[in-house]
Amino acid sequence: MRIWLTVAALALAGGASAAPTMVARLNSDSGQVELSEAGRPVLRYVARTIEPGDLLDRVTEGNRKYTVARSDYLHPLYGLDGEELTRDWPVDHPHHRGIYWAWPEVGYKGELGDLHALQKVFARAAGVPRLTSGAFAEVRAESRWMWDDKEPIVWETATLRAWPETAAGRFVDLEFALTALVDGVTLARRGTELYGGLNCRLNAVTGQQIAFHTDAPEAQPRMAWADLSGTFPGGQGSAALTIMPHAGNPEAPPDWVKYDELNWFQPTFPQAGHRYALSREAPTVLRYRLWIRRGGPIDEAAARAQWTAYHEQEK
């Protein structure tokens, strides 16, 4: 098992008066969870449901059904210079919400719900998130996926862990454990061929470049990553977000999907043409590392080194 350091353990090691550098706190005003380093914001996890408010007046009539209250996602994700990398409530696709884990085809009882576009099935908080401050800042949040907003069909545990900034940048590790609460729940991409999984809607980027990499099938290990770089609003120069799916994910490596005009990209799950059945006996676990850094398009040698470090970290 991975060795986690608690605030109490850090106090014993470094003196009771030592304050943790990495902090996770529940904002009593907003109800959202904020992760920070030495007072600088790192990310916010939207734990409390957010209503669309006056956005309803600004979207087209055809988009109003997607302008739906929601929670259980990550926004903002901040760059190393404090810029907001992600975007929430875009008028063109009001259901897009920063970094969110959702599927456009959730199958149950012979019907399809759309967790991605917030139709028929919704993730609702189950209790108060558990927070850790210290060597890292972490939020562990539990949610129920509610069919017709009434019947619980999936239990979700989302763990978001932010590490201190280094010369290489900052790493944020994501883990999602999904357990069916009823029989017959499946996940699929749009039409089973298009998008679905870990979705990333970013802010408008000047000079945007999106690059995907997956090693050849015969490679051992078979590395995969995606990278989006450019200048974000409020940034002091070029910045980048790299996503590394864990090789232990089911059906790895993923396909990659992007929509350049939306500043949107993702590693997909499950594989194309497949409806993935969630189990009631054991969770399906999906893991990803976000690498936030300054600079332009990713260097392959650096990506390989960081991919290896991610997979070799202590367990």
Side-chain angles (χ1 to χ4, degrees):
M1 295 178 63
R2 194 187 310 275
I3 299 173
W4 303 121
L5 295 177
T6 65
V7 176
L10 286 170
L12 289 173
S17 62
T21 299
M22 301 297 298
V23 174
R25 64 180 288 268
L26 183 66
N27 186 311
S28 58
D29 294 327
S30 67
Q32 312 306 356
V33 176
E34 298 168 348
L35 274 55
S36 62
E37 179 179 11
R40 296 182 294 120
V42 173
L43 64 85
R44 179 175 63 194
Y45 169 70
V46 179
R48 177 182 289 179
T49 299
I50 295 179
E51 299 286 343
D54 62 6
L55 181 71
L56 278 171
D57 299 327
R58 296 188 284 115
V59 300
T60 63
E61 184 175 350
N63 270 340
R64 286 178 185 165
K65 71 175 184 177
Y66 305 116
T67 314
V68 179
R70 69 282 193 92
S71 60
D72 192 33
Y73 64 100
L74 192 166
H75 173 80
L77 175 67
Y78 292 93
L80 301 180
D81 296 316
E83 64 271 45
E84 290 191 8
L85 302 182
T86 52
R87 187 175 181 188
D88 197 9
W89 296 109
V91 175
D92 54 14
H93 290 72
H95 53 285
H96 287 185
R97 46 198 187 274
I99 293 178
Y100 58 109
W101 37 102
W103 286 264
E105 297 194 7
V106 178
Y108 179 53
K109 298 192 298 188
E111 300 181 82
L112 293 178
D114 191 339
L115 192 63
H116 169 84
L118 302 167
Q119 306 293 302
K120 200 170 183 67
V121 60
F122 308 90
R124 302 302 189 198
V128 178
R130 288 167 284 173
L131 308 181
T132 300
S133 300
F136 53 81
E138 178 184 281
V139 52
R140 180 169 297 187
E142 295 175 322
S143 301
R144 286 186 290 259
W145 294 8
M146 305 297 290
W147 191 258
D148 285 326
D149 227 359
K150 297 177 181 177
E151 180 184 1
I153 64 168
V154 172
W155 184 268
E156 173 200 300
T157 301
T159 304
L160 317 177
R161 184 177 310 117
W163 299 93
E165 181 182 343
T166 68
R170 183 189 307 285
F171 301 104
V172 176
D173 292 336
L174 312 178
E175 179 178 295
F176 311 109
L178 308 175
T179 305
L181 298 174
V182 292
D183 291 329
V185 179
T186 61
L187 307 180
R189 291 149 61 174
R190 181 75 70 203
T192 76
E193 302 287 338
L194 300 175
Y195 55 88
L198 181 67
N199 310 276
C200 302
R201 176 67 192 259
L202 301 187
N203 250 325
V205 183
T206 303
Q208 175 177 269
Q209 296 188 58
I210 302 177
F212 299 145
H213 175 89
T214 303
D215 280 351
E218 63 272 14
Q220 292 296 328
R222 194 177 182 194
M223 301 183 183
W225 61 80
D227 184 69
L228 185 150
S229 63
T231 302
F232 289 82
Q236 301 175 16
S238 185
L241 174 64
T242 303
I243 301 177
M244 294 183 173
H246 198 280
N249 288 350
E251 303 191 3
D255 297 329
W256 299 102
V257 174
K258 66 174 181 173
Y259 295 94
D260 296 86
E261 71 281 7
L262 300 178
N263 316 109
W264 191 100
F265 71 133
Q266 76 166 177
T268 61
F269 176 80
Q271 292 287 353
H274 180 204
R275 297 192 184 276
Y276 185 94
L278 293 181
S279 170
R280 299 182 67 178
E281 305 302 321
T284 294
V285 179
L286 299 170
R287 297 172 60 193
Y288 304 88
R289 168 161 282 187
L290 308 181
W291 178 15
I292 303 153
R293 56 190 178 81
R294 297 182 181 93
I298 197 166
D299 173 79
E300 182 174 336
R304 290 188 179 279
Q306 294 298 344
W307 189 97
T308 299
Y310 173 38
H311 286 75
E312 290 183 349
Q313 67 185 6
E314 190 174 24
K315 296 182 179 179

